[in-house]
Amino acid sequence: MAGHKHDTNPDIGPAFTGLIGGAILIGAILYGIVLWTNARFAEHHKEEGKKASITVVAPTVG
């Protein structure tokens, strides 16, 4: 047992590369979806802002 040598696994490097690359790819896809969704709802928000109005009525004393 004292002479047992631990061999390193040659697949660890490509595995971490795939893990990190996949995480970056999924993050980029999600970021694109967020930008696309925000762009679609920006038009909705502009139309809603035109319709909104505030009316202030002063109380009458007397």
Side-chain angles (χ1 to χ4, degrees):
M1 287 253 179
H4 183 65
K5 183 179 177 184
H6 295 282
D7 292 328
T8 58
N9 188 351
D11 291 336
I12 289 181
F16 279 119
T17 302
L19 180 69
I20 294 169
I24 291 171
L25 179 66
I26 290 173
I29 290 170
L30 290 176
Y31 184 68
I33 290 171
V34 168
L35 290 179
W36 177 60
T37 304
N38 286 342
R40 288 185 53 116
F41 280 99
E43 297 297 325
H44 177 71
H45 182 66
K46 288 179 185 176
E47 292 175 6
E48 184 178 305
K50 293 178 184 176
K51 296 178 185 175
S53 64
I54 298 175
T55 304
V56 178
V57 179
T60 57
V61 179

